Amino acid sequence: MEKSTTKKKIAVFISGRGSNLKSLIKNSKLKQGKFKIHLVISNKLTAQGLKYAKFNKIKSFAIEKSLKEFENKSLSLIKKYKINYICLAGFMRILSSSFIKKAKIPIINIHPSLLPKFKGLNTHERAIKSKQKFSGCTVHYVSEKLDSGKIILQKKVKILKKDNPKTLASKVLKLEHKAYREALNFIINF
């Protein structure tokens, strides 16, 4: 039996500058890519990533409302556009367990640490302060517990003595752009 060549439909949730979104859009345009970004949803009207979406003619929505209103509107959009996967890319809100259950599709997140270490915020400062030899990023499924879902893929980078949170963040971000694409292609192929 031949594998379908239809690209999977992705919705990306963002809150800020959208560098992972930009990378995902670029990769979704590759002929051999397995996914296409169909929808970008932000909880911030001023999110820079919305401009990338508009520039690339991707349907985008800014829903700067309560979490409940944001989730309800997002669920209706996901259903309307028949989305296969949700990717959180710099999305700075914690989705409710109700949303996770109602979505009924995989929700994937990228986190700037080697989980299970340094869940939550300020990961780079915490990694340096605790004298870790390596840091990196983790692509994982979203579960009801913060940064605790099943790990799909990790990439690591050496923390140098001269690194500070800003330089480490920059190195990890470069890894994130590769890791998210690889993780998506992997789970779609699976």
Side-chain angles (χ1 to χ4, degrees):
M1 200 164 114
E2 214 174 283
K3 264 197 170 184
S4 170
T5 55
T6 308
K7 291 186 175 195
K8 296 295 183 187
K9 294 180 179 181
I10 305 288
V12 181
F13 285 19
I14 62 169
S15 293
R17 67 180 183 239
S19 75
N20 269 308
L21 168 66
K22 197 175 186 180
S23 175
L24 288 172
I25 291 169
K26 185 178 162 194
N27 287 293
S28 77
K29 291 179 176 185
L30 300 174
K31 195 174 180 182
Q32 72 272 24
K34 309 242 183 282
F35 60 90
K36 183 169 178 21
I37 311 298
H38 271 258
L39 197 56
V40 173
I41 302 175
S42 175
N43 65 319
K44 300 272 186 212
L45 297 169
T46 56
Q48 184 70 31
L50 292 169
K51 291 178 183 170
Y52 299 141
K54 196 172 258 183
F55 178 79
N56 287 281
K57 297 175 177 56
I58 298 168
K59 289 175 189 70
S60 59
F61 298 86
I63 310 166
E64 204 169 83
K65 307 255 183 205
S66 71
L67 182 62
K68 188 175 181 160
E69 289 173 288
F70 174 88
E71 289 183 345
N72 288 338
K73 177 77 171 152
S74 296
L75 284 168
S76 68
L77 290 167
I78 284 155
K79 194 174 182 180
K80 179 181 178 180
Y81 293 105
K82 297 178 172 66
I83 298 298
N84 303 109
Y85 296 88
I86 298 169
C87 292
L88 308 182
F91 182 66
M92 301 308 286
R93 284 188 103 168
I94 298 170
L95 295 168
S96 71
S97 56
S98 169
F99 178 89
I100 294 165
K101 287 175 190 153
K102 287 178 185 172
K104 295 183 180 157
I105 58 174
I107 304 172
I108 299 141
N109 185 39
I110 189 151
H111 184 74
S113 80
L114 296 171
L115 292 174
K117 290 181 182 176
F118 311 115
K119 296 175 184 180
L121 301 174
N122 305 317
T123 57
H124 308 301
E125 290 163 34
R126 290 159 55 206
I128 290 169
K129 211 176 237 180
S130 67
K131 300 190 184 333
Q132 298 294 309
K133 289 185 180 358
F134 293 94
S135 187
C137 62
T138 304
V139 183
H140 65 95
Y141 289 104
V142 172
S143 68
E144 293 177 35
K145 284 182 82 183
L146 178 69
D147 297 329
S148 297
K150 184 178 176 211
I151 292 171
I152 301 164
L153 186 142
Q154 290 185 313
K155 289 201 173 286
K156 68 181 183 177
V157 64
K158 193 163 181 48
I159 299 176
L160 305 174
K161 279 189 170 51
K162 65 179 181 179
D163 275 325
N164 60 48
K166 196 173 180 177
T167 60
L168 183 57
S170 177
K171 291 196 305 193
V172 170
L173 190 60
K174 285 178 186 159
L175 290 181
E176 286 182 31
H177 295 164
K178 291 177 190 163
Y180 224 153
R181 176 194 72 228
E182 287 176 24
L184 269 176
N185 283 327
F186 171 75
I187 63 172
I188 290 167
N189 252 357
F190 198 71

